[in-house]
Amino acid sequence: MESYSDFLYRISYQQPELQIGEGRFTADNRVLEKVSHDNSFSSFYGDTVVFDLKDKAKKKISAQIDTLYEEVPMCFAQRLDSSTLHMTLHDLSASSDLDSVSSDVFNNEVKLLRVLSENHIACETIDMRMNYIVNMVNTSLVMALVPENENEWNKLQKLYTLIDEVRVCPYPYLTPHITLAYFNRSGFDMESAAALKTVVRELNSKSIKIHLHTDHLVYQKFLSMDNYIDVFRLAKKL
């Protein structure tokens, strides 16, 4: 399990200044899987375990998204519905091809139910704070989060390790974040990139706190990046 100090060192690349380059911005090919030519969301299938955010947190984050779409709408694809805002704990499976992913989704749900039958997840709160709004590998603009202290990090890591028993992530570490917007699949020019940097710099000057609640830890299936279906919650009161 990654230590809190190692985690903080790993995310030290996150800075107040948006790392997006100086010239024309080109979106990563993974955006093309999730976003159609008209920048609406494409069909994209899979399952995941997420912290659904409470209304107070969604309101705070929606205000930041409002600013992004008011100031630099040309940089982004279709706006995410505020009701879907979440922090992913652990990705499970995903594909633009339903047939190729359907058996994985079925098996993941069965394995997750077995893991939960053998491990109790208590109802508790995990205190986080916004670190910076950052470019997530040229696919999306995200709010990176940091646990308030080592104890909060350990709570999060314990849950991540538990879900790893269902399906091991292709990437080895958890980087807590909330997706704010997917980038325009066609990219955008250097003037738009400069404007985006200015907006993000201002947003990064005002950190906010986010409280995750395990009673809002949900196994979800999705049909696109804006269409999530709650299947069941993971924590149970004794």
Side-chain angles (χ1 to χ4, degrees):
M1 188 168 74
E2 186 179 24
S3 70
Y4 186 53
S5 59
D6 285 345
F7 164 71
L8 293 178
Y9 178 77
R10 176 166 61 84
I11 64 164
S12 60
Y13 68 89
Q14 297 174 0
Q15 300 292 328
E17 295 293 326
L18 184 66
Q19 306 302 306
I20 203 169
E22 300 299 328
R24 179 176 179 81
F25 174 79
T26 301
D28 186 88
N29 284 337
R30 283 168 287 188
V31 176
L32 308 186
E33 283 191 299
K34 300 174 181 179
V35 176
S36 299
H37 289 284
D38 63 356
N39 271 311
S40 63
F41 289 111
S42 305
S43 295
F44 195 71
Y45 309 100
D47 58 343
T48 184
V49 175
V50 309
F51 285 96
D52 184 26
L53 303 178
K54 293 200 172 181
D55 290 343
K56 184 177 181 180
K58 288 180 179 178
K59 186 175 180 180
K60 290 179 184 177
I61 297 163
S62 292
Q64 294 190 322
I65 297 173
D66 286 345
T67 299
L68 293 168
Y69 277 82
E70 287 166 4
E71 299 292 334
V72 283
M74 62 287 195
C75 295
F76 305 116
Q78 175 185 343
R79 178 171 174 157
L80 293 164
D81 191 308
S82 295
S83 67
T84 70
L85 291 172
H86 62 267
M87 195 207 89
T88 301
L89 172 68
H90 196 297
D91 289 320
L92 291 171
S93 60
S95 175
S96 57
D97 181 1
L98 179 59
D99 290 338
S100 71
V101 80
S102 57
S103 61
D104 285 339
V105 171
F106 175 82
N107 290 331
N108 291 338
E109 183 175 357
V110 171
K111 290 177 182 177
L112 179 57
L113 288 169
R114 187 184 70 240
V115 167
L116 294 176
S117 72
E118 298 170 352
N119 299 272
H120 172 70
I121 295 178
C123 291
E124 61 181 350
T125 301
I126 303 175
D127 297 326
M128 312 283 286
R129 60 176 170 81
M130 170 182 154
N131 195 30
Y132 296 113
I133 292 174
V134 301
N135 170 14
M136 182 63 79
V137 293
N138 288 358
T139 63
S140 56
L141 197 68
V142 308
M143 178 191 293
L145 300 178
V146 177
E148 287 282 16
N149 53 52
E150 185 173 10
N151 183 56
E152 303 305 289
W153 170 249
N154 289 339
K155 291 180 192 176
L156 204 56
Q157 275 289 286
K158 183 178 178 181
L159 292 168
Y160 180 84
T161 301
L162 186 65
I163 308 305
D164 223 33
E165 294 181 24
V166 176
R167 189 180 184 91
V168 176
C169 267
Y171 41 87
Y173 300 115
L174 171 64
T175 303
H177 66 274
I178 298 166
T179 300
L180 303 179
Y182 283 90
F183 288 124
N184 186 322
R185 64 169 279 147
S186 300
F188 42 87
D189 60 30
M190 62 185 299
E191 290 79 10
S192 299
L196 177 58
K197 287 182 180 181
T198 298
V199 174
V200 169
R201 186 186 308 117
E202 175 63 24
L203 292 175
N204 277 338
S205 69
K206 303 170 184 177
S207 184
I208 63 175
K209 294 183 183 295
I210 299 290
H211 304 289
L212 305 177
H213 302 269
T214 57
D215 62 347
H216 276 53
L217 185 60
V218 187
Y219 172 63
Q220 293 181 331
K221 298 177 183 178
F222 52 85
L223 306 177
S224 75
M225 293 296 91
D226 200 41
N227 189 349
Y228 292 81
I229 302 163
D230 289 354
V231 182
F232 54 79
R233 297 193 178 194
L234 278 63
K236 293 181 179 179
K237 295 180 180 179
L238 290 175

